[in-house]
Amino acid sequence: KVTVAEVATRLFGASVTPERVIGETLTRVTDPSDATRERLAEAVRSPLPAGYRALSGSPLAAWIETTFGLATEPSTGLLVRQMPRRLREDAAPLLSDATKLPVQDCHDAIRAMLLAGSSVRHPETGRPLFAFRLHQFLAKGDTLHVSLESEADRFITSKYQVAVPDAPEKLLFPLAFCRECGQEYAVVKAVTKSGETTFAPRSSRDVTAGDAVDGYLYISEQFPWPLDPVAENRLPDSWIGLDNEPLPNKGRYLPQRVRVDIAGHSVETGGINAAFVPTPFTFCLSCQVSYEQTRGRDFSKLVTLDAEGRSSAVSVLSASLVRALRGLPESELSPEARKLLTFVDNRQDASLQAGHLNDFVQVAQLRGALFRAMRTTPDGLTHESVAAKVTAAMGLEFADYAAAPDAVYNAKSRTERALRDLVEYRLYLDLQRGWRITMPNLEQTGLLRVEYDSLPEIAADQALWDATLAPLRDTRAGHREELCRIVLDEFRKVLAIDVECLSEMGFERVKRQSSQELTGVWAVPNNENPETVGTVYAFPARAGMGRSNLHLTGRSALGRYLSRPQQFPGHPEKLGIDDAQRIIQDILVVLTRVGILSEVDGGHGTRGYRLKASALIWKAGNGTSAAADPIRKT
């Protein structure tokens, strides 16, 4: 009371004395004198009685009220609220000490009594015997740290420490995991002094300055890094030249066999075999997925366990809790009690979380409906049917999205059309390869396969390819189809799609319709701007051209992919830059001729290409593997 009076005096600028502070008056509903050791042990062993009176008279109920609910304030003798206790860690062992019964039996008895007490009501007041609040704390994950020992002997902890407890000579190193297969790597920096190399721990987000070399240590007894990785086929195919040796430009990225001791020192004898992988991380030594991109951070390739986003985690947990609440039978929880409340300590966090949750729910709803619609249409969805089928699969009631829920006749038709147009716009936006690691699109999770209309037949029609460069002309039809698919996939990644809803006028029409006819999250926000639609060109970038455009040239990632050794088996010589450029142009010309691509005015007297939406076929995937990206990952 003294503390409350002092705070109140400061807040209100008037004197508040302790005797004017009014507290709560608490009363017991059980008799603690019955909670003797013998009766308490008997209550733990016996089935729970039925009814409010019988439960409140149980010695176990009295013990629970004293342990979890009420305590006596020493200075005043008044009843006050108990400090929160943990059930398994605190209360169950305490009851076990009092009754000499197993801890698990005591835990189960307390849990059963709490649940039973929350469901029975006082015959006069209607209050439950126990109105307890169960708190479960969910904390952000932390980076795993391990000692440099074999998998069977190494020390593993999720708490940051410099060394193994009671073994200060054993340093601990943070772990990062391959996003494709989960192989672990110790995150290190190699420091060389006086000819001796030491591998020191580093944070995965740190970039080391000076002469130290950032990298990772690969340690595996079951799949160790060999002396001759070429002979044992441990390097990606794209790294091997015609002479069956690693390509010269890959030399600096090759893993280096080392032996390290428990302190990270490179040693000749003792220690454990490992492989040092310098940054940037270019391929996984376990699953052999390789990355052609050597710029930027390794975040999209390797992940630590502390890398999840707070907003994403709260959204996923909230959705899971709501789904669990809805799955409960009505006898356990009434419909009006199935609510989830979240509290934040400032408006900015509340706004951020609300926006993230709305976006998460709508994206998940659209993707779920798309997958459901694709599964019911084995031949795939086309541009003409995808929006209508997905809208129907969402199963929304008219009042869920209509600004005028009672609209009829033409007004109702306009509203339904506005929703279909909005769904179409969102679906095509989601085809773009997203940057959100925590929320990849359906194609990145293997639940969507995008195919192209008549592409196998086009690739097999030799007459269409007779005028193309010899390697493309003479290769087998299946290889031509693969190359065409790779090129078309590149169009979608930069949203170079020729569809009305992505045009500036199309977006404005969708936005106007939604503002007039739709409500809530289904209405396009006023501050949302149209997405920049890409254009693909077969020449290098020029000054003044947009950053959203894609330039497919002999020097681009696609050009390097076409120039890989043995890309065209019938032409063993390596393709030059000009040859790769010609093949790219030939593919674009043929695909435009057959109606898969459309030519567009790129400005400055240039012509570009976009993929026709009518050429897309949306099919359900099995979810076992993500969409292939052979240009960047092999």
Side-chain angles (χ1 to χ4, degrees):
K1 287 186 176 182
V2 172
T3 302
V4 172
E6 291 176 354
V7 173
T9 300
R10 290 186 180 182
L11 285 176
F12 301 113
S15 177
V16 178
T17 57
E19 57 270 16
R20 289 185 159 213
V21 176
I22 300 174
E24 59 184 350
T25 301
L26 304 174
T27 57
R28 290 187 177 274
V29 294
T30 64
D31 184 2
S33 63
D34 289 340
T36 61
R37 175 178 173 179
E38 293 75 14
R39 294 201 60 194
L40 198 54
E42 182 63 27
V44 171
R45 290 191 293 261
S46 304
L48 291 177
Y52 184 92
R53 299 293 185 191
L55 277 176
S56 62
S58 168
L60 180 58
W63 185 89
I64 287 176
E65 186 178 38
T66 300
T67 303
F68 290 101
L70 300 175
T72 302
E73 191 174 45
S75 59
T76 63
L78 298 176
L79 291 175
V80 294
R81 294 180 183 269
Q82 267 286 16
M83 296 294 292
R85 289 180 181 270
R86 295 184 176 185
L87 177 55
R88 185 176 298 277
E89 293 84 349
D90 299 332
L94 194 63
L95 183 58
S96 176
D97 291 340
T99 60
K100 306 305 179 185
L101 295 175
V103 173
Q104 187 61 46
D105 292 352
C106 294
H107 172 274
D108 295 343
I110 296 171
R111 184 177 184 276
M113 176 60 80
L114 286 171
L115 292 174
S118 66
S119 62
V120 296
R121 304 277 173 172
H122 191 281
E124 297 177 3
T125 65
R127 295 177 178 174
L129 176 61
F130 294 133
F132 65 91
R133 285 195 292 264
L134 180 64
H135 297 270
Q136 184 167 354
F137 295 95
L138 301 174
K140 181 179 179 180
D142 204 352
T143 301
L144 283 183
H145 289 75
V146 299
S147 57
L148 297 182
E149 298 174 279
S150 66
E151 289 99 328
D153 301 327
R154 63 187 175 185
F155 178 83
I156 303 175
T157 180
S158 61
K159 297 180 179 179
Y160 172 73
Q161 300 172 67
V162 174
V164 175
D166 302 325
E169 71 280 4
K170 297 182 178 181
L171 297 185
L172 290 175
F173 293 76
L175 283 185
F177 299 86
C178 172
R179 287 190 181 271
E180 297 292 329
C181 69
Q183 173 65 44
E184 71 274 11
Y185 294 86
V187 185
V188 301
K189 58 182 177 183
V191 181
T192 302
K193 291 183 179 180
S194 304
E196 296 183 357
T197 300
T198 300
F199 299 98
R202 70 174 176 90
S203 168
S204 61
R205 298 178 180 86
D206 290 344
V207 177
T208 304
D211 297 331
V213 179
D214 290 343
Y216 308 92
L217 282 180
Y218 167 82
I219 299 174
S220 174
E221 291 186 316
Q222 293 183 344
F223 205 46
W225 189 247
L227 286 170
D228 188 352
V230 176
E232 298 194 25
N233 296 319
R234 292 290 296 276
L235 293 178
D237 292 341
S238 60
W239 286 43
I240 307 301
L242 295 176
D243 57 356
N244 204 35
E245 292 292 332
L247 296 173
N249 63 338
K250 300 295 183 182
R252 64 181 296 260
Y253 304 120
L254 287 173
Q256 307 160 19
R257 275 176 56 95
V258 295
R259 290 190 70 85
V260 293
D261 63 14
I262 53 178
H265 300 302
S266 179
V267 294
E268 296 293 334
T269 58
I272 189 170
N273 284 321
F276 176 67
V277 184
T279 59
F281 187 79
T282 50
F283 81 99
C284 177
L285 280 62
S286 177
C287 65
Q288 292 183 286
V289 167
S290 65
Y291 302 89
E292 295 303 316
Q293 178 62 266
T294 57
R295 291 179 296 176
R297 296 167 53 202
D298 293 331
F299 178 73
S300 62
K301 310 165 190 176
L302 299 171
V303 62
T304 56
L305 295 189
D306 66 342
E308 88 282 354
R310 182 180 61 179
S311 295
S312 298
V314 172
S315 294
V316 171
L317 288 170
S318 300
S320 178
L321 288 170
V322 170
R323 185 167 57 248
L325 289 172
R326 289 178 175 177
L328 291 174
E330 193 167 342
S331 58
E332 292 189 19
L333 190 66
S334 61
E336 60 269 17
R338 303 180 188 205
K339 301 173 183 176
L340 174 67
L341 297 179
T342 62
F343 299 90
V344 294
D345 56 4
N346 62 68
R347 295 179 184 177
Q348 185 176 358
D349 279 0
S351 177
L352 175 66
Q353 187 62 60
H356 187 282
L357 187 59
N358 286 338
D359 176 67
F360 176 88
V361 170
Q362 188 182 55
V363 169
Q365 194 171 12
L366 277 172
R367 290 176 179 176
L370 173 59
F371 184 69
R372 195 177 305 118
M374 292 188 297
R375 292 193 66 178
T376 58
T377 313
D379 293 335
L381 303 175
T382 63
H383 173 63
E384 291 75 19
S385 64
V386 62
K389 291 288 185 69
V390 172
T391 303
M394 283 195 295
L396 295 174
E397 297 292 336
F398 186 72
D400 292 337
Y401 59 86
D406 298 323
V408 294
Y409 308 125
N410 286 341
K412 184 175 183 180
S413 298
R414 287 197 307 271
T415 303
E416 292 171 339
R417 184 168 58 252
L419 179 65
R420 286 195 301 272
D421 290 347
L422 176 69
V423 167
E424 180 184 71
Y425 174 70
R426 297 294 187 204
L427 288 174
Y428 278 103
L429 279 187
D430 209 32
L431 281 179
Q432 189 174 23
R433 189 65 61 91
W435 59 266
R436 292 180 291 190
I437 296 293
T438 56
M439 201 175 180
N441 63 22
L442 287 185
E443 193 174 10
Q444 291 169 280
T445 56
L447 296 175
L448 166 65
R449 290 186 298 112
V450 177
E451 298 185 357
Y452 304 97
D453 192 22
S454 303
L455 188 59
E457 292 80 5
I458 293 169
D461 189 342
Q462 187 61 43
L464 294 172
W465 305 94
D466 282 342
T468 62
L469 196 67
L472 183 62
R473 179 194 65 207
D474 299 336
T475 193
R476 55 187 176 82
H479 188 212
R480 270 200 300 261
E481 179 187 351
E482 177 188 351
L483 295 179
C484 290
R485 189 183 307 280
I486 291 170
V487 170
L488 295 174
D489 287 346
E490 291 297 294
F491 276 70
R492 293 190 293 104
K493 290 170 187 174
V494 297
L495 212 62
I497 301 176
D498 186 7
V499 61
E500 198 266 342
C501 66
L502 291 181
S503 67
E504 189 170 345
M505 292 182 61
F507 172 77
E508 290 300 329
R509 179 180 58 80
V510 171
K511 190 173 182 178
R512 284 195 304 269
Q513 286 180 335
S514 74
S515 65
Q516 291 287 312
E517 312 293 347
L518 305 180
T519 188
V521 296
W522 300 106
V524 178
N526 292 329
N527 60 351
E528 182 171 342
N529 296 317
E531 191 70 26
T532 303
V533 180
T535 304
V536 176
Y537 299 97
F539 55 80
R542 300 173 184 173
M545 302 190 74
R547 296 182 61 184
S548 62
N549 299 324
L550 176 65
H551 295 267
L552 299 179
T553 68
R555 297 183 184 275
S556 67
L558 175 61
R560 293 193 298 272
Y561 175 78
L562 294 173
S563 301
R564 288 178 182 176
Q566 303 177 1
Q567 180 67 259
F568 295 91
H571 295 263
E573 64 277 6
K574 181 180 177 181
L575 294 182
I577 294 175
D578 293 339
D579 294 333
Q581 179 74 58
R582 170 70 186 279
I583 289 176
I584 292 171
Q585 290 173 333
D586 287 343
I587 291 175
L588 296 177
V589 168
V590 172
L591 293 180
T592 303
R593 177 182 169 190
V594 299
I596 288 184
L597 299 180
S598 61
E599 271 195 307
V600 297
D601 182 10
H604 308 284
T606 62
R607 303 293 294 175
Y609 300 88
R610 286 183 185 151
L611 172 62
K612 289 184 177 181
S614 57
L616 300 178
I617 301 176
W618 313 55
K619 289 189 175 183
N622 56 20
T624 57
S625 59
D629 188 1
I631 292 180
R632 297 165 187 84
K633 297 193 297 184
T634 57

